[in-house]
Amino acid sequence: MFDRPLVPNKNSNGEESRQALLQAATDEFLAMGFQAARVQTITRNAGLGLSAINYHFGSKEGLYQAVLSQHAELAIARQPLQGPPDLPPQAQLRWLVSALLHRMVDPENPSRIGPLLLREMMTPTAAFELMFTRFASTQFQLGLEVLTRLLGPRVPAPLVTMSLYSLFGQCIFYMTARPMIARLTPERTLDEAGLQQIADHITEFSWAGLQALRQHHEESSSCAPQS
């Protein structure tokens, strides 16, 4: 998943060793999950001794939290969910969709926060609260701000939230169902061109639904009897 650095030896500086552990741990946690991941495999692949994990991260749990934090911060830096404020409304939606797809699906993205969070949600660990507080909840609020602007003030907040869940679900599908998609539609690629095609489709599909929802509630409000 990552280009391997030169294997550090006992004379490597601390940052080289730390990064080697983070890279090796990313692969192991993605493949095995936190509980089944073996620290022996991580340190062997990093070219270090077992004591290196305790030295740099305190424990396997500390290493796991560091991996999640590193990939979350990288995702936020590389794919912010909100675009420039002067974007037209539909372009704002597409920006959000494209950012979510690249975070979750792009095989060239150095941030693996999508599959890491998926594993964490399926089998929560003590790190779940950390990721919810520092990453998931704040990113969710950013997504809600985008949809609230697109839907307008007449759409109730619970429906805005459900709309964002639906948007997330469409993007997550291309991550979780990748083997099935490859069999059903082998021509559907996940390179940059393919991701842009998917982003265009999800945007067009979702835009139609969001506009219908907005129109329905605006018409209902205008027809409501005035007190």
Side-chain angles (χ1 to χ4, degrees), residues 78-93:
R78 288 177 62 91
Q79 284 95 26
L81 297 186
Q82 294 187 351
D86 57 345
L87 283 178
Q90 191 167 357
Q92 292 179 21
L93 178 63

Side-chain angles (χ1 to χ4, degrees), residues 173-174 177-191 194 197-198 201:
F173 174 80
Y174 287 92
R178 187 177 300 181
M180 187 65 69
I181 293 171
R183 292 293 301 274
L184 291 171
T185 52
E187 72 281 2
R188 174 60 57 204
T189 62
L190 294 179
D191 57 10
Q197 290 176 351
I198 296 170
H201 166 72

